[in-house]
Amino acid sequence: MAEELTPETPDEAEEPIKQRKNGLYPGVSDELAENMKSGWADTELTGLAPIPQAAETAARRAALSARFPGERLVVPAGNLKTRSNDTEYAFRASTEYAYLTGDQTHDGVLVLEPVADGHEATIYLLPRSDRENGEFWLDGMGELWVGRRHSLAEAEQLLGIPAKDVRELTAALKEATGPVRAVRGHDAGIEAALTDKVTAERDEELRVFLSEARLVKDAFEIAELEKACASTARGFEDVVKVLDKAEATSERYIEGTFFLRARVEGNDVGYGSICAAGPHACTLHWVRNDGAVRPGDLLLLDAGVETTELYTADVTRTLPINGRYTDVQRKIYDAVYEAQEAGIAAVKPGAAYRDFHDAAQRVLAEKLVEWGLVEGPVERVLELGLQRRWTLHGTGHMLGMDVHDCAAARTEAYVDTTLEPGMCLTVEPGLYFQADDLTVPEEYRGIGVRIEDDILVTEDGNRNLSDQLPRRSDEVEAWMAALKG
Ligand code: GLY
Ligand code: MN
Ligand code: MN
């Protein structure tokens, strides 16, 4: 009796079982341990088709290989992060790892090993759980608790990359000689194994390369961004349909409604949804979303669905909660719309990246001078940046797997570059009159407007990927009226 209650697993000393779920510490009799080892069907899958982006990920690895000949390159997916005790935060693989492999499993690591004519890629993954040592049902990471994983042979077929057991990687890296670069910040265990072998400066060059490689999207990526925008548009429609429920509760109803669409059609939201009603619209990253939703106010909704392959939209609409803009809301909205039109028109191949920002800022500065909020001429306002009291942020950024994509790209490759077909960027001017801004007429105070769309640079200009959603004020009103029935 006493023996049965002793919290020990079979041969614990030899075969450590790291962790148990739910605080339950099962007493395991020898008979049960033996029983659990067998009687399970072989579920190995064969003849699996490669993932749809296998050709693209191979081309991306080839470009990476060409940039760093003769060096070992280590790109981790990252590890689970504990939320409390034995629960973890939702996992999202590192962008670099998912970009190069198409895989999204935690603890995975891509290694490019230098060989005579380039590199040999290997993906290191957690294999299927062992049935012999009880890991599959006694370990908190066992498949019985967290779900079946692909076997290494299955992963090879799916990803088109030879796969090995990641639990052997740390020792192999410690042993390895020769130059190494690693993507940092995702996997402390891997970084520890590489101590003394990598340097921050060399690793930064790898990070920069992988950021700049994503500036121009391939066909797979463009299709994913289209999907993200289409789902996002449906999410915005969902929100409009339940605005009365949000009025009865809070901005959280809007956040939850959009999140449902993101989870059902995609992986997640690509960033915390900004569901900003009334004066909250003037707080640029309002993600608390716990405020009241009142008829007569505006709702600034900035949200994006991230697809299952981790590409996100980034879209903003500023909607009249009761379906009609007031005169002053419309005046401010239409000014932002005009600025966005000017910004979008400046997105084309060969244009300077900064052009769309300058075009939108000029329109906003003109409006601010016209309304008497700042003394002209417009050139002086722009030169001194005086419009920025109310425009606050840049007019856009690259978009892709990260909402602020390619963030490690060098200035000369990003903001000082010219646009090329396949680049995708947001155009998102705004005007924000803080509730306590005594320099503007009282009727402006607490009004914030942003309009944001996802614009793909094409051979002959651009294509608005988020144009399923109306932008002009009268079209927004007609769209809302139709959705509300
Ligand atoms: N949603 C963040 C941004 O618009 O940049
Ligand atoms: Mn944005
Ligand atoms: Mn946004």
Tab-separated table of all heavy atoms in Angstrom, residues 271 274 285 301-304 313-316 397 403-404 426 428 450 452 454, ligand 3:
chain	number	residue	atom	x	y	z
A	271	TYR	N	-0.906	41.092	-33.938
A	271	TYR	CA	-0.455	42.029	-32.897
A	271	TYR	C	-1.687	42.312	-32.054
A	271	TYR	O	-2.809	41.990	-32.480
A	271	TYR	CB	0.117	43.329	-33.507
A	271	TYR	CG	-0.835	43.997	-34.481
A	271	TYR	CD1	-1.707	44.998	-34.060
A	271	TYR	CD2	-0.897	43.591	-35.813
A	271	TYR	CE1	-2.600	45.586	-34.940
A	271	TYR	CE2	-1.790	44.167	-36.693
A	271	TYR	CZ	-2.638	45.155	-36.258
A	271	TYR	OH	-3.525	45.734	-37.135
A	274	ILE	N	-6.082	46.915	-31.464
A	274	ILE	CA	-6.341	48.232	-30.870
A	274	ILE	C	-7.812	48.530	-31.107
A	274	ILE	O	-8.229	48.764	-32.246
A	274	ILE	CB	-5.426	49.297	-31.512
A	274	ILE	CG1	-3.961	48.961	-31.226
A	274	ILE	CG2	-5.797	50.701	-31.015
A	274	ILE	CD1	-2.959	49.753	-32.053
A	285	HIS	N	-1.196	53.067	-29.075
A	285	HIS	CA	-1.215	51.614	-28.842
A	285	HIS	C	-2.196	51.293	-27.718
A	285	HIS	O	-1.833	50.696	-26.694
A	285	HIS	CB	0.193	51.105	-28.527
A	285	HIS	CG	1.068	51.069	-29.740
A	285	HIS	ND1	2.405	50.802	-29.720
A	285	HIS	CD2	0.776	51.262	-31.046
A	285	HIS	CE1	2.911	50.842	-30.951
A	285	HIS	NE2	1.933	51.131	-31.766
A	301	LEU	N	-10.437	51.027	-34.990
A	301	LEU	CA	-10.112	49.599	-34.881
A	301	LEU	C	-8.899	49.306	-35.760
A	301	LEU	O	-8.962	49.456	-36.988
A	301	LEU	CB	-11.313	48.752	-35.319
A	301	LEU	CG	-11.094	47.230	-35.370
A	301	LEU	CD1	-10.660	46.678	-34.017
A	301	LEU	CD2	-12.383	46.523	-35.831
A	302	ASP	N	-7.801	48.925	-35.108
A	302	ASP	CA	-6.547	48.594	-35.797
A	302	ASP	C	-6.261	47.136	-35.467
A	302	ASP	O	-5.912	46.815	-34.325
A	302	ASP	CB	-5.435	49.517	-35.287
A	302	ASP	CG	-4.092	49.264	-35.974
A	302	ASP	OD1	-3.913	48.198	-36.604
A	302	ASP	OD2	-3.212	50.143	-35.854
A	303	ALA	N	-6.464	46.250	-36.445
A	303	ALA	CA	-6.373	44.821	-36.155
A	303	ALA	C	-5.964	44.071	-37.406
A	303	ALA	O	-6.211	44.516	-38.524
A	303	ALA	CB	-7.725	44.306	-35.649
A	304	GLY	N	-5.367	42.897	-37.205
A	304	GLY	CA	-4.939	42.099	-38.349
A	304	GLY	C	-4.947	40.621	-38.013
A	304	GLY	O	-4.480	40.220	-36.942
A	313	ALA	N	-1.978	40.753	-41.657
A	313	ALA	CA	-2.485	42.024	-42.164
A	313	ALA	C	-2.329	43.068	-41.061
A	313	ALA	O	-2.064	42.735	-39.907
A	313	ALA	CB	-3.949	41.881	-42.561
A	314	ASP	N	-2.470	44.324	-41.411
A	314	ASP	CA	-2.407	45.424	-40.436
A	314	ASP	C	-3.309	46.523	-40.980
A	314	ASP	O	-2.882	47.305	-41.832
A	314	ASP	CB	-0.955	45.898	-40.296
A	314	ASP	CG	-0.814	47.051	-39.308
A	314	ASP	OD1	-1.770	47.333	-38.565
A	314	ASP	OD2	0.271	47.668	-39.304
A	315	VAL	N	-4.541	46.536	-40.497
A	315	VAL	CA	-5.571	47.371	-41.109
A	315	VAL	C	-6.235	48.234	-40.038
A	315	VAL	O	-6.477	47.763	-38.916
A	315	VAL	CB	-6.639	46.484	-41.798
A	315	VAL	CG1	-7.790	47.322	-42.330
A	315	VAL	CG2	-6.004	45.675	-42.933
A	316	THR	N	-6.517	49.484	-40.376
A	316	THR	CA	-7.263	50.347	-39.461
A	316	THR	C	-8.442	50.982	-40.181
A	316	THR	O	-8.292	51.467	-41.317
A	316	THR	CB	-6.375	51.485	-38.906
A	316	THR	OG1	-5.191	50.923	-38.341
A	316	THR	CG2	-7.108	52.285	-37.843
A	397	HIS	N	4.977	51.231	-42.765
A	397	HIS	CA	6.112	50.340	-42.526
A	397	HIS	C	5.942	49.099	-43.386
A	397	HIS	O	4.848	48.810	-43.873
A	397	HIS	CB	6.155	49.944	-41.046
A	397	HIS	CG	4.821	49.451	-40.537
A	397	HIS	ND1	4.392	48.158	-40.706
A	397	HIS	CD2	3.799	50.086	-39.905
A	397	HIS	CE1	3.191	48.018	-40.187
A	397	HIS	NE2	2.788	49.175	-39.702
A	403	VAL	N	4.457	42.280	-38.047
A	403	VAL	CA	3.667	43.462	-38.419
A	403	VAL	C	4.592	44.613	-38.795
A	403	VAL	O	4.348	45.310	-39.792
A	403	VAL	CB	2.641	43.831	-37.325
A	403	VAL	CG1	3.310	44.189	-35.998
A	403	VAL	CG2	1.772	44.976	-37.797
A	404	HIS	N	5.621	44.831	-38.023
A	404	HIS	CA	6.655	45.794	-38.415
A	404	HIS	C	7.794	44.955	-39.003
A	404	HIS	O	8.769	44.635	-38.332
A	404	HIS	CB	7.094	46.648	-37.235
A	404	HIS	CG	5.980	47.525	-36.720
A	404	HIS	ND1	5.974	48.111	-35.485
A	404	HIS	CD2	4.815	47.914	-37.294
A	404	HIS	CE1	4.863	48.816	-35.322
A	404	HIS	NE2	4.139	48.697	-36.404
A	426	THR	N	2.378	49.274	-45.270
A	426	THR	CA	1.142	49.922	-44.836
A	426	THR	C	1.210	51.407	-45.185
A	426	THR	O	2.292	52.005	-45.186
A	426	THR	CB	0.928	49.792	-43.323
A	426	THR	OG1	1.921	50.568	-42.643
A	426	THR	CG2	1.003	48.332	-42.870
A	428	GLU	N	-0.755	54.546	-43.568
A	428	GLU	CA	-1.633	54.721	-42.421
A	428	GLU	C	-1.527	56.098	-41.754
A	428	GLU	O	-1.153	56.207	-40.592
A	428	GLU	CB	-1.347	53.637	-41.389
A	428	GLU	CG	0.137	53.501	-41.003
A	428	GLU	CD	0.343	52.489	-39.878
A	428	GLU	OE1	-0.362	52.619	-38.857
A	428	GLU	OE2	1.194	51.608	-40.024
A	450	ARG	N	-7.457	57.248	-37.878
A	450	ARG	CA	-6.392	56.653	-38.699
A	450	ARG	C	-7.072	55.765	-39.727
A	450	ARG	O	-8.081	55.123	-39.418
A	450	ARG	CB	-5.412	55.842	-37.834
A	450	ARG	CG	-4.361	55.089	-38.638
A	450	ARG	CD	-3.163	54.601	-37.801
A	450	ARG	NE	-3.479	53.559	-36.837
A	450	ARG	CZ	-3.598	53.747	-35.528
A	450	ARG	NH1	-3.437	54.966	-35.001
A	450	ARG	NH2	-3.887	52.750	-34.729
A	452	GLU	N	-5.779	52.786	-42.415
A	452	GLU	CA	-4.557	52.009	-42.708
A	452	GLU	C	-4.876	50.866	-43.664
A	452	GLU	O	-5.790	50.078	-43.419
A	452	GLU	CB	-3.989	51.430	-41.406
A	452	GLU	CG	-2.785	50.521	-41.618
A	452	GLU	CD	-2.114	50.101	-40.322
A	452	GLU	OE1	-2.780	50.075	-39.268
A	452	GLU	OE2	-0.905	49.803	-40.372
A	454	ASP	N	-2.984	47.911	-46.620
A	454	ASP	CA	-1.785	47.120	-46.897
A	454	ASP	C	-1.554	47.114	-48.406
A	454	ASP	O	-2.351	46.558	-49.168
A	454	ASP	CB	-1.982	45.707	-46.344
A	454	ASP	CG	-2.242	45.743	-44.833
A	454	ASP	OD1	-1.912	46.783	-44.204
A	454	ASP	OD2	-2.774	44.765	-44.287
B	3	MN	MN	-2.051	49.087	-37.543
